[in-house]
Amino acid sequence: MREALFYEEIGGSKVRCNLCPHHCEIEDGHSGTCRVRINKGGVLYTLTYGTLSSISNDPIEKKPLYHFHPGTVILSVGSWGCNMTCPWCQNWEIAHEKPQVQRVNPDRLIDLTLDRELEGIAYTYNEPIVSFEFVLDTSRMASADGLYNVMVTNGYIEEAPLKLLLQTIQAMNIDLKGFNPKFYKKRTSGDLETIKKNIKTISDEGLHLELTTLVIPGENDSEEEMEEQAAWIASVNDKIPLHLSKYYPAYKFNKPPTPDETLLKLYAIAKKHLKYVYLGNTNLNQGRDTHCPVCDNLLIKRRGFNVEIVGIQDKKCSKCQTDLNIKL
Ligand code: SF4
């Protein structure tokens, strides 16, 4: 166990964790909402430093990241725990249970990435924010070795730790779970305003950023909400790719999967505001390829995880020379 960063003693042997906006006040012998930060005798420890539940070579499109080194494979690692409580969690076995783990310290993980001849590491599967110390140390060492670092996250983190991560993380996919503050509070235990603030900070800092919304029937699938969400993203940067992902029943939620018609309707609305919108977890033909937002030239063709770059030259559209938000 490692001592955690970002906490304070608040009297007796109680501590307050300041890593995420929950600011859990934790009694001796107890852990916070995320279950992986524990108070022992007035010292807060992280339980997930170098304890990984999964390590695998994934197509980067699976994160999903469609505009960051498209067509490459990234070493993807997950641990356990989460600071949100979504009842439809698609990774609940590691987010809300305690899975089998293996010990892999940062230097070993970097050796593994280099041995497999991969160019980067993705912190993903469960919520990487709750393994903050491990992600920070590993991403620092990986950056020093010329590897890139990617986080797939709910974005629910305080400003000071976020600023530290921004020094060594090169790309993020943030799960923007909806655009209704009441929905956010009730269903995820997070807070929409914090997520919006963090998205803006990350975009303003010039990090590569993509967003994902899991579309859940009757929860976050209204046309008005998507109109508002897409317009707000466009006000930050209309080149941020938005992935609309089809929900399937999981964990404590058993409503039927998102109808394709709903995905297509929301896709059309988001496309009015944003240059790049994609559909995920579905076999629909729409929303899988990348087209030039100016001349509609086909830039990247995707069939499953088979990716072909067909219309990009020198980071520009090969037909009309438009500068693209795509890092090859
Ligand atoms: S990171 Fe975990 S312990 Fe810390 S405030 Fe958030 S939920 Fe609580």
Side-chain angles (χ1 to χ4, degrees):
M1 275 195 307
R2 291 269 172 140
E3 185 172 355
L5 297 170
F6 294 102
Y7 80 95
E8 61 188 315
E9 293 172 41
I10 53 169
S13 50
K14 219 170 160 187
V15 300
R16 180 186 296 122
C17 176
N18 293 320
L19 178 58
C20 90
H22 284 309
H23 292 284
C24 298
E25 295 188 356
I26 310 171
E27 304 270 2
D28 189 10
H30 290 78
S31 52
T33 299
C34 59
R35 303 182 305 127
V36 295
R37 302 174 80 76
I38 188 167
N39 176 355
K40 281 196 183 287
V43 178
L44 189 68
Y45 291 96
T46 161
L47 294 176
T48 54
Y49 194 97
T51 58
L52 300 182
S53 60
S54 23
I55 306 179
S56 88
N57 289 9
D58 279 352
I60 200 158
E61 282 72 20
K62 199 172 168 185
K63 302 301 100 194
L65 285 175
Y66 276 19
H67 288 208
F68 188 79
H69 301 284
T72 63
V73 170
I74 188 164
L75 190 80
S76 299
V77 297
S79 183
W80 60 286
C82 186
N83 57 348
M84 284 194 176
T85 52
C86 315
W88 42 75
C89 182
Q90 310 276 300
N91 287 317
W92 62 272
E93 292 97 335
I94 55 173
H96 302 296
E97 301 285 327
K98 182 158 186 216
Q100 291 274 343
V101 292
Q102 52 180 314
R103 289 217 59 83
V104 184
N105 279 329
D107 49 355
R108 172 79 193 107
L109 194 59
I110 286 156
D111 286 346
L112 208 60
T113 314
L114 295 170
D115 287 350
R116 295 185 185 187
E117 299 183 351
L118 302 176
E119 291 169 17
I121 302 173
Y123 310 92
T124 177
Y125 303 135
N126 71 310
E127 177 49 57
I129 285 170
V130 301
S131 299
F132 176 81
E133 296 76 8
F134 178 73
V135 173
L136 187 67
D137 284 359
T138 310
S139 60
R140 278 177 173 162
M141 290 168 69
S143 295
D145 276 344
L147 299 169
Y148 57 77
N149 296 281
V150 163
M151 270 179 85
V152 181
T153 172
N154 62 30
Y156 199 49
I157 184 169
E158 278 297 350
E159 189 177 353
L162 174 63
K163 288 268 166 86
L164 270 185
L165 286 176
L166 294 185
Q167 295 173 7
T168 51
I169 301 289
Q170 285 73 42
M172 284 196 193
N173 185 307
I174 294 189
D175 212 5
L176 177 58
K177 293 174 187 285
F179 215 67
N180 176 330
K182 282 189 190 147
F183 158 85
Y184 241 98
K185 191 52 80 190
K186 181 174 165 216
R187 289 307 210 175
T188 77
S189 78
D191 155 49
L192 177 59
E193 284 311 309
T194 302
I195 311 297
K196 284 168 68 180
K197 181 167 71 80
N198 288 345
I199 286 172
K200 180 139 179 37
T201 301
I202 292 161
S203 175
D204 289 350
E205 292 283 329
L207 218 77
H208 180 81
L209 176 64
E210 304 193 19
L211 303 174
T212 298
T213 301
L214 182 72
V215 179
I216 303 148
E219 296 287 333
N220 62 355
D221 62 345
S222 85
E223 295 181 30
E224 298 73 31
E225 208 176 301
M226 182 50 65
E227 194 83 54
E228 213 187 324
Q229 174 175 326
W232 177 80
I233 297 169
S235 76
V236 177
N237 181 348
D238 65 2
K239 290 181 180 162
I240 296 175
L242 173 65
H243 302 260
L244 300 177
S245 189
K246 180 172 176 134
Y247 141 94
Y248 291 90
Y251 194 36
K252 299 174 181 169
F253 214 72
N254 55 14
K255 271 196 182 172
T258 322
D260 286 344
E261 309 78 68
T262 306
L263 287 170
L264 289 169
K265 191 180 64 185
L266 299 185
Y267 172 77
I269 293 170
K271 285 279 280 182
K272 288 194 294 175
H273 300 275
L274 298 168
K275 295 199 180 332
Y276 307 103
V277 183
Y278 300 103
L279 295 177
N281 270 352
T282 163
N283 292 324
L284 288 165
N285 292 337
Q286 290 92 332
R288 60 182 180 181
D289 297 330
T290 302
H291 290 264
C292 173
V294 174
C295 72
D296 204 37
N297 182 30
L298 178 63
L299 305 173
I300 306 176
K301 188 172 157 188
R302 298 184 187 83
R303 295 295 173 267
F305 291 123
N306 201 326
V307 176
E308 228 184 309
I309 298 167
V310 292
I312 303 178
Q313 258 174 2
D314 300 329
K315 299 180 185 166
K316 294 180 177 173
C317 169
S318 60
K319 200 164 153 197
C320 73
Q321 308 305 312
T322 292
D323 267 320
L324 303 163
N325 173 27
I326 300 176
K327 294 189 170 58
L328 298 181

